[in-house]
Amino acid sequence: MKKLIFFDIDKTLIDENYNPDRGLVVVNRLKKMGFDVILNSSKTRKEQEYYREVFGLSTPFIVENGSGVYIPDGFFPGLTLPERGGYLFIQLGVPYEHIVENLREVEGKYGLKYYANSTLEEVKMYLGMDDFLARLAREREFSETIFEFRDSGFVEVLSSRGLTCQQGSRFISVLGKTDKGRGMERLVELYKKYYKVKTFAVGDGKNDFPMFDVADESFLIGERSHPRAKNIHDLMEILNYLE
Ligand code: MG
């Protein structure tokens, strides 16, 4: 039996100051217990490559809220898929340029600020990130992030154009018709060709709910509630349930 645990990053594996120390303790413990630890975040490939180093991970990972699944070549023996960025790749979202084209048309009316119409300095201010992390966050492939808006009417307009808006820990993401649950399902399907699996999911935001819908066991950090997830107040608590 292969145990797969899917993690949100923001305010789950890293804290509000982007500190990964406590996440690292949990990840190391889970790895020793035989779990495959899998990142499933709104973050970009470049950001997740950074966090894969931080957490010492060589597993597949799911980017930009279920928009794409990156699989290191050779991870699944004999698997062939299209390549992107040096990985095997499954695309579930839509190209970034398509999203930005749509946002440009409505940004004035709804007072939208997002990566493509912000300077690096503005991005650093919105995110509270240093130069290095902000540059990685700007390398977007399949989703935009709304930092600021005057009127939430843009959500309906974008949805009439086939895009979806999802609330994360900090901001709203705009992307194609996918979510973290769909990305997770696609990766689990691949695992099931090779192993019997049991799946776990951990997150704090509304955009993590689709993972909780499909995982065998889920953990929700904080005060939100989901019918299939156990509420915990601190990431470390998952070890009480999993050890
Ligand atoms: Mg989060």
Side-chain angles (χ1 to χ4, degrees):
M1 171 78 71
K2 194 83 159 171
K3 293 177 290 183
L4 313 178
I5 187 158
F6 292 79
F7 275 101
D8 168 47
I9 299 179
D10 255 336
K11 299 197 182 175
T12 296
L13 280 183
I14 61 176
D15 68 14
E16 56 281 1
N17 302 312
Y18 302 99
N19 184 327
D21 292 351
R22 291 164 67 75
L24 187 56
V25 171
V26 170
V27 168
N28 283 337
R29 185 78 207 118
L30 291 171
K31 278 159 61 179
K32 282 210 181 85
M33 290 159 64
F35 282 84
D36 270 15
V37 173
I38 297 162
L39 302 179
N40 190 356
S41 162
S42 60
K43 292 190 179 299
T44 62
R45 164 161 56 97
K46 291 285 181 191
E47 290 176 288
Q48 294 201 38
E49 284 175 337
Y50 169 76
Y51 285 108
R52 288 171 90 238
E53 292 257 318
V54 168
F55 294 115
L57 300 174
S58 50
T59 43
F61 56 104
I62 302 165
V63 302
E64 299 190 53
N65 276 317
S67 292
V69 184
Y70 282 103
I71 302 159
D73 201 3
F75 187 85
F76 294 114
L79 179 71
T80 53
L81 283 173
E83 281 193 31
R84 185 179 176 100
Y87 303 87
L88 304 185
F89 182 66
I90 301 169
Q91 182 175 331
L92 299 166
V94 297
Y96 181 61
E97 297 69 29
H98 171 72
I99 297 166
V100 172
E101 264 170 39
N102 278 278
L103 288 175
R104 293 228 187 266
E105 289 172 30
V106 299
E107 66 181 35
K109 181 164 182 201
Y110 299 102
L112 305 182
K113 280 295 277 182
Y114 49 92
Y115 282 99
N117 71 0
S118 301
T119 63
L120 180 63
E121 287 310 309
E122 286 174 321
V123 169
K124 284 162 64 177
M125 187 265 296
Y126 286 123
L127 297 174
M129 275 179 183
D130 63 20
D131 211 80
F132 174 73
L133 285 179
R135 283 177 196 277
L136 300 183
R138 287 216 299 181
E139 302 228 12
R140 315 203 63 79
E141 297 177 291
F142 305 104
S143 68
E144 250 297 1
T145 299
I146 306 297
F147 298 128
E148 226 175 70
F149 57 89
R150 206 170 40 236
D151 174 344
S152 65
F154 71 92
V155 173
E156 208 168 306
V157 174
L158 293 175
S159 113
S160 75
R161 295 170 174 216
L163 297 173
T164 60
C165 295
Q166 295 176 28
Q167 180 68 53
S169 303
R170 298 163 194 266
F171 301 111
I172 293 173
S173 292
V174 181
L175 66 161
K177 285 192 171 147
T178 187
D179 56 46
K180 292 187 181 187
R182 289 194 53 191
M184 179 176 159
E185 279 183 315
R186 289 298 290 271
L187 182 53
V188 170
E189 264 171 40
L190 287 179
Y191 265 101
K192 282 183 171 167
K193 291 183 181 173
Y194 299 83
Y195 309 98
K196 272 196 153 204
V197 301
K198 180 164 186 192
T199 60
F200 301 81
V202 191
D204 74 299
K206 248 192 142 168
N207 61 339
D208 297 313
F209 283 18
M211 287 203 284
F212 303 156
D213 291 334
V214 298
D216 294 320
E217 283 189 38
S218 303
F219 300 95
L220 170 50
I221 301 171
E223 303 304 321
R224 294 180 195 270
S225 103
H226 180 283
R228 300 189 72 238
K230 272 188 197 71
N231 273 93
I232 54 174
H233 291 96
D234 184 283
L235 177 64
M236 297 279 183
E237 282 175 50
I238 65 170
L239 297 175
N240 302 337
Y241 293 101
L242 299 177
E243 271 179 326

